[in-house]
Amino acid sequence: MNRTLEVIAGSDLVERPRRSRWPARLDYLQSASGLVLALFMWAHMGFVSSILFGKNALWVVARTFEGYYFFGHRYPVIVSIAAAVVLALVIGHAALAVRKFPINYRQFRTFRGHMAMMRHGDTSLWFAQVVTGFALFFLASVHLYIIMSNPGKIGPYESSFRVWDQHLWPLYLLLLLAVEFHGGIGLYRLSVKWNWFGGSNPDEARHGLKVLKWAITVFFLAIGLATLATFIKIGITAHPIYGERYVPTWQQDALPGHGGQAAPVAGQPATTSQAGGAQ
Amino acid sequence: MNEVKHRKLKISVLRYNPQDPESVPHMQTYELEEADGMTLFIALNEIREKLDPSLQFDYVCRAGICGSCAMLVNGRPALTCRQLTKDLGDEFTLAPLPVFELIGDLSVNTGKWMRGMSERLETWVHAKEQEIDLRRIEEPMDPELAEKLYEVDRCIECGCCVAGCGTARMREDFVGAVGLNKIARFKIDPRDTRSDDDFYELVGDDDGVFGCMSLLGCHDVCPKQLPLQTQIAYVRRKMVAMAFS
Amino acid sequence: MRVIYTDVLVIGAGLAGQRVAIAAKRRGHDTIILSLVPPKRSHSAAAMGGMQASLANVIKGQGDNEDIHFGDTVRGSDWGADQDVVRMFVNTSPKAVRELAAWGVPWSRVRKGDRQVIINGEKVTITERDEAHGLLAQRDFGGTKKWRTCYVSDGTGHSMLFVVSDHVIAEGIPVHERTEALALIHDGSRCHGAVVRNLITGELVAYIAKATTIATGGAGRVYRVTTNAVICEGTGMALALETGAAALGNMEAVQFHPTPIFPAAILLTEGARGDGGLLRDVDGHRFMPDYEPEKKELASRDVVSRRIEEHIRKGKGARSRFGEHVWLDITLLGEHHIKHNLREVYEIAKYFNGVDPVKEWIPIRPGQHYTMGGIRTKPTGESPTLKGLFAAGEAACWDMHGFNRLGGNSVAETVVAGMIVGEFVADFCDRTENDLDVSTGLIREFVAREQAKIDDLLHGKGTEDATRLRSRMQDLMTDKVGIFRTGAELESAVAELEELLKKSRNLGVRSKSTGSNPELVTAYRTQKMLKVALAIAYGALTRTESRGAHFRVDHPRRDDAQWLKRTLATWKDETASLPTLEYEQLDVKKMELPPGWRGYGAKDYIDHPDTSKRQAEVDEIRTKMEGADRFAVQDALMPYEHLLPERLRGRNERIDERLPL
Ligand SMILES: Cc1cc2nc3c(=O)[nH]c(=O)nc-3n(C[C@H](O)[C@H](O)[C@H](O)COP(=O)(O)OP(=O)(O)OC[C@H]3O[C@@H](n4cnc5c(N)ncnc54)[C@H](O)[C@@H]3O)c2cc1C
Ligand code: HEM
Ligand code: HEM
Ligand code: SF4
Ligand code: F3S
Ligand code: FES
């Protein structure tokens, strides 16, 4: 006999050596990091799109994150640190997710063939997620590096100059498309993966989630494109004053000649900015 | 009754006999007149009887319950004995299920794969039956639980979910939805004495539940409409909860 | 030549074969199972309705016990059954169902309190007991006095088969899938194993074993219209027949089911009629009340099948390209009931006929359903004439079904026989005198003979086409050896089958592949099937009475005086075109339940001369023992417990029949 009653009854199981718990933790972390990033992107879109409400709005948002309203001084290093944290998160998430990529050409080809044959929505969505994720790895890193290495240079003019005069808009356009698709698909897949909103009829719920997913993607893409367009427009119109910083309207009286100072950066002599600007 | 005019079907079949060193995979097209209520079971048998006696395929129950006859119909896994030709176009293709060892033409060795899966996942109730006296009244079980168990016990091991899964196609050792569903089934069965720890041993890695990328091809092609999405999610949650406890 | 040695060889991986294997393996004997298909694809999976075991948990089963199950089974068999075996069976069946419950079958359970059921088409409220809550539930099935059929929703056989197959895996028993036994290796008195063909590579391998068990299921495919799977070709029975030593019992006893869907012949459960479904003819007329005013659609299987055929013969069938049929109308049950309580009926109609039974009628026509006959064995499962050969399940005739089996008794039989025969197989292997002792010359001879037959088919000069012979055989069987049988038709069927058999010795195949070759398989199986078909048809021709499912229009009465005996068919001479028929008398003087009226159908039969004497004896014992416990009475009438393997003896506990702690 090659099997004992113990094996069939499973009473020897406790004595078997135990497996690592890491695969479970990694799977969890992959989802958690994806979720945090996706939620961060919603917030991020909220902040960046403040430009749609006027230059002042973005200026306030940017200063807020520099701690201006808490400390009375700007600390751009806060943003750099935040960007570094997010970059770490992106890298961490990517490192976890990359385990799922096809590991060689054969696998890649098999999957492509499978997808073409099956013509199955969720299978194709996954592939879209891999492709966008791959793109994001580069695009997001570049963006974050720029944000990190330009402390204090976030603002209606500063950002617009970057988008337009420094020719970053193509990068942003791609980044926007990639991240909206990737995040939207990711959230949908998270909810089916963990059966979050399954309820009593998971099939119906899944259908609802898919509709919602597309709605969210369209919504954020629309806002994102409008935002990008606004940056471009500001970039074009403010071209003549390239390099200048924006001063919010209520501070414009306090500028030299008016006897005031724009929000000071901690530890730096206050930079001045010339009034006005196109518009 | 009234003689309706029947369609001419063009059925393209992937032919290949790995036993024969001369054979190379190729598509072969058969033309056949459709009949009322014709299923692929009837169509393929007619081809074998009238056109090509060497064509290989597997039917057993021809009633949609034994899981023998899964193939790719226009690229998608399906049980072909209950596939009416009237629900297909005039031209369609048939191919053997991928992943499984090919025996020849449309016949694949799902049985071998499934036995391997069963051995690996120990798909039986682990209990000390020496302690059960068969003369005595059986252990009671909650009627709802019994129904719930049957709901997921309906799997016929047809292999559609495996063939329809991109992960299984890329990674040979992936257990597939069929295996994960079984783990869920034994996990909710109070007669099975295995703990979450023990189940983790079986599926707690990237060839197990953490290999599943929620592609849901399995769920959407399962001919028995098993709730595979929720079953896999259930196993995943339990295994993750276990790992953090 | 490859030879594989083992203690126990089991041919067939349905419920019966696998349960035999588990029993033998647990007793320490190396066991190998052979199967045409993966075990879980065996036709046992098709049983939907359930398995009979007198647990008496539900209120409608209260009072049920082995005695009542025994009576139902013997009456059902029209007294053709071996009553010792029926006793062994009814006592083991509760143990079998409880064992399966422990192994993991998700049996449907009793829910305490009120529930609505449909009995004879009427809604009734019944109340289940508190103490039954959570125990195995039973449902109603034709021909039973109590609700006795344990079930798993609509997939009883499926769940049973999966649990037993998984247990085979747990025990580490190898199953050689996609292999086919072609011949038994024997010396005329002792069976040594089988010559087996690998269906993928075509290789012939000799399997040598102390004990060989055939559990190859039914032979439905000798008919054109059958509910059986395409692999139920009865070739396992032919293996025994072709030894010339072993016999087939009662092959003419073939059951027909009234409501397979038309034309695919996929079974629609009796539940469809039980819940109130009606049968209608070409004019939409409900015709069953015309024939059976009392039971209408709910008369027993054989009666309803006969009435439908009779009505079609009167020209009242609806016509289609595939022939004539009648309609099953369940539209009146309503969408909810159909989609929830009759889900599989709904799905079958939808998938196989594109019919929506909520709105439309379903075409049906009776078809072959079950093979009561099979390899004749003793109550131990061993052939009385070929030592070391055992048989179990539908392929066997140890004879618990006689001339008609009750619904739910056959999946029960498979596991019960598996348990019992498995123990006897193990006992057999335990005895040193049964150690392997076979000459390699004999093995070589058998393998060479089978190889020669295959070579002849592939490369010989044969010209006959197996598919044509086979479909002619299937037509003959369905048209002339079906539900209504007459001497003249049977005679012409036998004659033509003989012709076909002779032609089958001259078969040729077009595809020459020596490996996987479906045409070759069809060819050699057709040769075997023709022999089985002849055993059925010739047995039916010779039996000039009507008993159970065997209905002779020209001899409509049951004739115990002449025919209270079992047909035994052997094929002594390979060149013969007919089997040799012999008869084995059933001993009325030992019967616990002497022949009488079944309680339904015609009350018209000829008594055996011993019947009244035995009846008087039985009555006397019963009156003398008035008040004694039922086990004592039973033991006085027909002691049987000594026939059971020791570990399967003992009473069965019930809610109302507690065993002492
Ligand atoms: C549609 C349908 C519904 C039914 N419903 C019920 C029901 O509700 N209740 C009930 O009690 N009964 C029912 N029955 C009857 C019951 O299911 C069968 O009688 C029973 O399952 C037979 O089991 P078995 O183990 O004898 O054979 P099977 O399950 O048929 O297994 C036969 C095995 O033998 C193998 N085999 C055959 N020939 C060879 C060979 N030459 N070499 C190697 N292997 C071989 C096959 O591969 C298979 O594994 C139903 C039958 C049908 C057709
Ligand atoms: C920067 C913003 C990013 C966001 C918002 C984001 C979001 C998500 C989310 C929510 C998921 C679902 C997680 C799961 O299914 O478990 C996910 C999965 C994935 N992400 Fe990202 N991700 C980001 C960046 C990246 C990057 C840079 C990569 C590239 C390497 C990447 C690759 C993937 C892949 C391949 C998956 C699928 C993993 C799986 O199916 O299990 N993601 N992402
Ligand atoms: C803490 C981290 C981050 C900060 C502080 C930040 C800040 C900004 C700022 C200020 C802009 C405006 C343009 C500019 O000034 O260059 C911007 C635009 C954008 N950022 Fe980020 N970002 C962060 C992380 C990310 C990440 C992780 C992604 C995606 C993976 C991302 C995607 C984008 C996109 C797509 C735009 C263009 C939006 C549009 O114009 O519609 N950002 N970000
Ligand atoms: S889960 Fe569904 S698709 Fe997969 S094997 Fe089982 S029945 Fe087939
Ligand atoms: S298709 Fe495959 S990846 Fe998971 S959800 Fe199904 S098993
Ligand atoms: S042949 Fe059994 S499921 Fe199709």
Side-chain angles (χ1 to χ4, degrees):
Chain A
M1 285 216 273
N2 53 1
R3 263 183 223 250
T4 61
L5 282 173
E6 278 64 46
V7 176
I8 297 166
S11 39
D12 68 323
L13 281 173
V14 271
E15 285 128 48
R16 296 191 203 170
R18 292 291 163 180
R19 260 195 190 163
S20 161
R21 301 294 186 234
W22 275 106
R25 294 181 193 141
L26 295 183
D27 195 52
Y28 178 81
L29 289 175
Q30 177 193 317
S31 288
S33 58
L35 178 67
V36 170
L37 283 170
L39 295 179
F40 167 80
M41 288 315 298
W42 286 2
H44 172 283
M45 185 55 81
F47 302 137
V48 178
S49 65
S50 58
I51 193 71
L52 296 174
F53 298 100
K55 299 196 195 70
N56 286 339
L58 179 64
W59 188 87
V60 169
V61 168
R63 296 300 80 81
T64 309
F65 282 97
E66 289 169 349
Y68 176 63
Y69 294 105
F70 305 100
F71 311 116
H73 277 279
R74 293 168 58 194
Y75 293 94
V77 67
I78 298 177
V79 175
S80 298
I81 292 170
V85 169
V86 173
L87 183 61
L89 204 56
V90 168
I91 291 172
H93 170 78
L96 289 168
V98 85
R99 298 174 308 146
K100 309 285 172 186
F101 277 35
I103 50 168
N104 51 37
Y105 182 65
R106 192 191 61 82
Q107 283 194 357
F108 176 76
R109 215 184 40 195
T110 307
F111 193 89
R112 282 285 302 273
H114 174 73
M115 190 170 70
M117 243 171 43
M118 281 276 288
R119 291 161 287 112
H120 172 250
D122 286 41
T123 300
S124 305
L125 281 182
W126 181 81
F127 194 72
Q129 206 183 13
V130 168
V131 171
T132 51
F134 189 69
L136 276 174
F137 187 71
F138 302 99
L139 300 170
S141 310
V142 171
H143 169 55
L144 284 163
Y145 178 77
I146 292 172
I147 295 292
M148 267 190 315
S149 55
N150 287 289
K153 290 199 193 139
I154 295 177
Y157 284 165
E158 300 87 325
S159 293
S160 300
F161 294 147
R162 210 166 21 238
V163 169
W164 182 247
D165 290 283
Q166 295 174 10
H167 312 297
L168 277 178
W169 63 267
L171 176 109
Y172 279 131
L173 185 62
L174 289 179
L175 184 58
L176 177 70
L177 288 170
V179 82
E180 288 317 331
F181 281 108
H182 186 89
I185 297 172
L187 287 176
Y188 160 76
R189 285 163 35 73
L190 271 182
S191 21
V192 293
K193 177 173 180 177
W194 299 93
N195 196 23
W196 279 338
F197 308 102
S200 59
N201 188 342
D203 287 329
E204 229 162 65
R206 180 169 152 221
H207 179 74
L209 282 169
K210 225 174 204 167
V211 172
L212 187 66
K213 174 195 95 68
W214 285 113
I216 288 176
T217 303
V218 167
F219 174 73
F220 279 101
L221 270 181
I223 300 186
L225 289 173
T227 303
L228 194 57
T230 312
F231 279 130
I232 291 175
K233 192 169 138 212
I234 298 176
I236 293 172
T237 39
H239 182 66
I241 54 163
Y242 176 77
E244 278 191 28
R245 288 177 162 260
Y246 179 72
V247 177
T249 26
W250 63 89
Q251 284 185 2
Q252 283 172 8
D253 322 332
L255 285 171
H258 302 274
Q261 202 192 34
V265 174
Q268 279 180 27
T271 40
T272 51
S273 176
Q274 265 143 37
Q279 249 189 27
Chain B
M1 268 188 289
N2 49 340
E3 275 304 314
V4 246
K5 207 146 159 51
H6 289 292
R7 294 190 298 171
K8 263 251 171 327
L9 299 176
K10 272 195 181 158
I11 309 179
S12 302
V13 178
L14 184 61
R15 305 287 317 264
Y16 177 47
N17 181 3
Q19 299 276 322
D20 175 3
E22 317 246 290
S23 169
V24 281
H26 63 282
M27 298 303 287
Q28 186 164 344
T29 304
Y30 300 98
E31 286 190 27
L32 193 71
E33 189 185 306
E34 194 176 30
D36 296 324
M38 184 181 248
T39 58
L40 286 181
F41 164 71
I42 298 171
L44 284 172
N45 273 296
E46 206 165 309
I47 291 177
R48 183 140 95 188
E49 274 167 30
K50 299 200 179 132
L51 302 173
D52 189 341
S54 68
L55 185 63
Q56 296 181 50
F57 48 78
D58 292 321
Y59 288 96
V60 177
C61 70
R62 59 85 178 86
I65 50 135
C66 77
S68 302
C69 63
M71 298 170 198
L72 297 181
V73 181
N74 286 332
R76 273 207 181 210
L79 282 189
T80 53
C81 66
R82 64 176 204 193
Q83 172 76 58
L84 291 164
T85 52
K86 79 172 168 57
D87 297 333
L88 297 166
D90 297 347
E91 295 180 24
F92 53 89
T93 61
L94 299 176
L97 287 191
V99 182
F100 304 98
E101 178 186 284
L102 182 70
I103 292 171
D105 301 337
L106 299 170
S107 167
V108 293
N109 207 335
T110 44
K112 186 172 163 190
W113 194 97
M114 293 294 168
R115 168 109 185 188
M117 180 272 296
S118 279
E119 283 172 352
R120 170 169 159 199
L121 299 184
E122 304 192 0
T123 58
W124 60 88
V125 163
H126 289 51
K128 289 209 197 96
E129 18 157 335
Q130 303 95 292
E131 290 160 16
I132 294 162
D133 183 348
L134 296 180
R135 298 172 312 146
R136 299 267 167 205
I137 288 182
E138 64 277 9
E139 274 297 307
M141 179 189 272
D142 179 50
E144 260 96 71
L145 179 62
E147 254 168 56
K148 220 169 114 190
L149 267 174
Y150 175 63
E151 202 42 39
V152 293
D153 201 51
R154 283 164 36 244
C155 166
I156 53 174
E157 298 191 358
C158 62
C160 285
C161 58
V162 177
C165 169
T167 309
R169 295 212 48 194
M170 284 196 292
R171 286 178 248 277
E172 235 163 59
D173 293 325
F174 179 52
V175 284
V178 53
L180 296 172
N181 178 59
K182 291 203 186 253
I183 292 297
R185 182 235 177 275
F186 287 104
K187 212 190 118 38
I188 61 170
D189 193 329
R191 293 167 290 200
D192 198 317
T193 52
R194 282 178 289 183
S195 65
D196 281 1
D197 259 319
D198 302 327
F199 287 120
Y200 190 90
E201 292 309 301
L202 302 172
V203 292
D205 64 9
D206 285 345
D207 287 332
V209 68
F210 304 122
C212 163
M213 306 190 299
S214 313
L215 302 178
L216 299 186
C218 57
H219 184 101
D220 295 338
V221 299
C222 173
K224 291 283 141 181
Q225 271 112 31
L226 290 176
L228 296 175
Q229 182 234 322
T230 44
Q231 291 293 97
I232 297 172
Y234 171 75
V235 175
R236 192 191 298 273
R237 290 164 88 139
K238 289 292 171 194
M239 293 301 104
V240 166
M242 229 276 312
F244 282 98
S245 65
Chain C
M1 182 180 70
R2 213 148 69 83
V3 184
I4 292 174
Y5 291 90
T6 179
D7 295 327
V8 179
L9 176 67
V10 178
I11 305 172
L15 277 169
Q18 295 197 83
R19 188 60 188 81
V20 168
I22 292 170
K25 176 73 193 232
R26 285 195 169 175
R27 294 269 302 271
H29 300 291
D30 272 334
T31 303
I32 296 177
I33 307 178
L34 307 178
S35 178
L36 302 173
V37 296
K40 288 170 181 165
R41 315 244 189 270
S42 298
H43 201 52
S44 292
M48 287 170 176
M51 142 164 191
Q52 288 205 35
S54 56
L55 298 188
N57 291 330
V58 294
I59 200 74
K60 285 279 184 184
Q62 201 177 12
D64 196 13
N65 59 34
E66 295 84 1
D67 296 350
I68 302 179
H69 191 185
F70 172 82
D72 284 347
T73 305
V74 172
R75 284 191 193 89
S77 80
D78 224 353
W79 279 272
D82 179 332
Q83 300 196 2
D84 281 332
V85 172
V86 178
R87 267 292 169 193
M88 292 164 72
F89 163 73
V90 295
N91 197 54
T92 311
S93 175
K95 297 184 176 70
V97 76
R98 284 172 174 159
E99 178 179 77
L100 290 172
W103 286 4
V105 172
W107 296 109
S108 296
R109 304 280 172 152
V110 183
R111 190 177 285 126
K112 65 182 173 198
D114 288 354
R115 68 187 171 117
Q116 289 238 318
V117 293
I118 296 175
I119 299 175
N120 289 348
E122 274 166 51
K123 272 206 177 121
V124 190
T125 303
I126 55 179
T127 313
E128 297 295 354
R129 295 169 287 180
D130 285 0
E131 59 271 35
H133 186 75
L135 300 180
L136 301 196
Q138 291 80 41
R139 60 159 65 130
D140 196 10
F141 237 48
T144 64
K145 286 217 173 78
K146 301 278 179 186
W147 289 23
R148 188 186 299 129
T149 307
C150 302
Y151 61 99
V152 184
S153 194
D154 55 14
T156 312
H158 164 84
S159 281
M160 290 170 69
L161 184 63
F162 269 55
V163 160
V164 172
S165 301
D166 281 338
H167 231 79
V168 160
I169 297 172
E171 297 279 353
I173 301 170
V175 182
H176 295 188
E177 299 173 6
R178 293 178 184 270
T179 58
E180 172 166 7
L182 291 184
L184 295 176
I185 299 172
H186 67 99
D187 56 17
S189 59
R190 169 82 163 96
C191 177
H192 294 293
V195 181
V196 177
R197 179 163 185 268
N198 181 322
L199 293 172
I200 299 176
T201 63
E203 187 191 9
L204 293 192
V205 179
Y207 285 67
I208 302 300
K210 291 184 196 171
T212 305
T213 306
I214 295 183
T216 50
R221 287 280 154 178
V222 298
Y223 285 83
R224 170 167 45 83
V225 182
T226 173
T227 62
N228 286 194
V230 296
I231 58 163
C232 298
E233 299 175 305
T235 52
M237 296 170 185
L239 293 180
L241 195 58
E242 286 177 340
T243 60
L248 301 186
N250 283 347
M251 288 304 288
E252 64 272 30
V254 178
Q255 185 175 71
F256 297 84
H257 197 285
T259 58
I261 203 158
F262 181 88
I266 294 161
L267 185 72
L268 295 181
T269 163
E270 242 146 31
R273 279 172 297 132
D275 291 359
L278 308 175
L279 294 174
R280 296 185 188 279
D281 64 13
V282 63
D283 310 316
H285 171 65
R286 179 183 175 196
F287 59 89
M288 275 309 289
D290 304 345
Y291 295 100
E292 300 286 328
E294 219 170 290
K295 293 222 151 183
K296 305 180 184 87
E297 277 81 0
L298 294 170
S300 72
R301 271 183 196 179
D302 43 339
V303 173
V304 178
S305 300
R306 256 174 245 148
R307 294 308 188 189
I308 295 173
E309 287 299 325
E310 198 177 335
H311 203 62
I312 290 175
R313 284 183 186 201
K314 286 185 186 161
K316 291 291 186 184
R319 268 162 293 273
S320 91
R321 178 170 151 188
F322 300 99
E324 286 165 289
H325 61 85
V326 295
W327 303 103
L328 174 66
D329 172 11
I330 57 170
T331 56
L332 65 167
L333 301 181
E335 175 157 3
H336 182 86
H337 187 92
I338 292 173
K339 287 195 177 162
H340 288 85
N341 302 38
L342 294 171
R343 182 167 74 176
E344 85 271 12
V345 173
Y346 175 79
E347 287 184 358
I348 290 170
K350 190 176 85 180
Y351 285 123
F352 296 95
N353 284 54
V355 164
D356 178 1
V358 175
K359 298 189 208 100
E360 297 162 276
W361 298 344
I362 312 168
I364 58 109
R365 176 148 194 191
Q368 191 281 350
H369 185 52
Y370 188 79
T371 317
M372 268 79 73
I375 299 163
R376 178 67 188 137
T377 73
K378 303 183 271 190
T380 58
E382 194 183 4
S383 162
T385 44
L386 191 58
K387 196 176 155 197
L389 176 68
F390 291 78
E394 194 172 339
C397 176
W398 60 341
D399 200 357
M400 68 162 271
H401 301 304
F403 274 75
N404 187 46
R405 65 117 190 169
L406 297 185
N409 254 357
S410 51
V411 280
E413 176 193 21
T414 59
V415 274
V416 167
M419 292 165 89
I420 295 175
V421 175
E423 292 300 328
F424 287 121
V425 165
D427 287 350
F428 179 89
C429 293
D430 279 344
R431 289 195 290 273
T432 47
E433 81 252 25
N434 295 327
D435 280 349
L436 283 184
D437 176 22
V438 54
S439 84
T440 48
L442 187 74
I443 303 174
R444 191 173 325 107
E445 187 190 316
F446 270 88
V447 174
R449 193 190 300 169
E450 291 310 310
Q451 190 63 58
K453 285 189 202 163
I454 286 176
D455 291 345
D456 188 46
L457 285 171
L458 285 173
H459 310 297
K461 295 191 216 33
T463 49
E464 294 289 346
D465 174 24
T467 311
R468 278 206 12 248
L469 299 191
R470 175 188 290 233
S471 38
R472 184 63 199 140
M473 165 190 72
Q474 290 171 329
D475 287 345
L476 280 172
M477 294 299 288
T478 297
D479 299 341
K480 299 188 173 174
V481 198
I483 298 176
F484 288 107
R485 298 169 175 181
T486 64
E489 278 185 344
L490 287 168
E491 222 161 287
S492 82
V494 169
E496 198 176 338
L497 285 168
E498 279 187 83
E499 283 313 305
L500 293 176
L501 180 72
K502 286 177 198 149
K503 285 187 186 164
S504 79
R505 291 171 180 152
N506 186 31
L507 289 176
V509 298
R510 285 165 289 169
S511 38
K512 305 291 179 196
S513 164
T514 50
S516 174
N517 182 341
E519 195 190 9
L520 175 68
V521 169
T522 305
Y524 62 67
R525 286 192 193 161
T526 301
Q527 294 173 330
K528 291 186 155 61
M529 290 167 83
L530 277 162
K531 291 185 181 155
V532 174
L534 270 160
I536 298 173
Y538 193 38
L541 170 63
T542 318
R543 185 174 285 271
T544 48
E545 64 154 356
S546 291
R547 184 181 293 274
H550 169 68
F551 187 74
R552 285 283 298 258
V553 181
D554 45 352
H555 300 276
R557 288 203 293 184
R558 189 181 89 205
D559 183 356
D560 290 343
Q562 278 198 60
W563 286 105
L564 197 60
K565 50 193 181 189
R566 195 169 286 124
T567 314
L568 295 180
T570 48
W571 208 286
K572 298 223 158 67
D573 174 7
E574 229 181 290
T575 58
S577 61
L578 273 181
T580 312
L581 297 188
E582 281 153 309
Y583 293 92
E584 180 187 353
Q585 190 65 44
L586 271 66
D587 191 353
V588 178
K589 289 192 287 272
K590 288 201 181 126
M591 287 184 183
E592 179 179 338
L593 187 63
W597 182 50
R598 290 167 93 191
Y600 46 84
K603 212 172 182 169
D604 184 20
Y605 54 89
I606 302 166
D607 264 325
H608 189 273
D610 293 341
T611 301
S612 53
K613 240 192 304 168
R614 176 60 182 165
Q615 188 63 53
E617 258 171 52
V618 169
D619 292 345
E620 191 191 314
I621 295 174
R622 284 195 190 279
T623 24
K624 212 164 64 199
M625 296 187 71
E626 184 100 50
D629 96 334
R630 64 183 181 92
F631 299 99
V633 179
Q634 197 283 320
D635 195 56
L637 289 171
M638 191 186 76
Y640 76 94
E641 211 174 23
H642 61 284
L643 294 171
L644 277 173
E646 211 143 335
R647 69 168 64 189
L648 297 175
R649 294 179 195 170
R651 299 178 184 182
N652 297 299
E653 191 173 37
R654 296 183 180 78
I655 294 176
D656 300 316
E657 262 186 321
R658 295 284 174 180
L659 289 183
L661 285 173

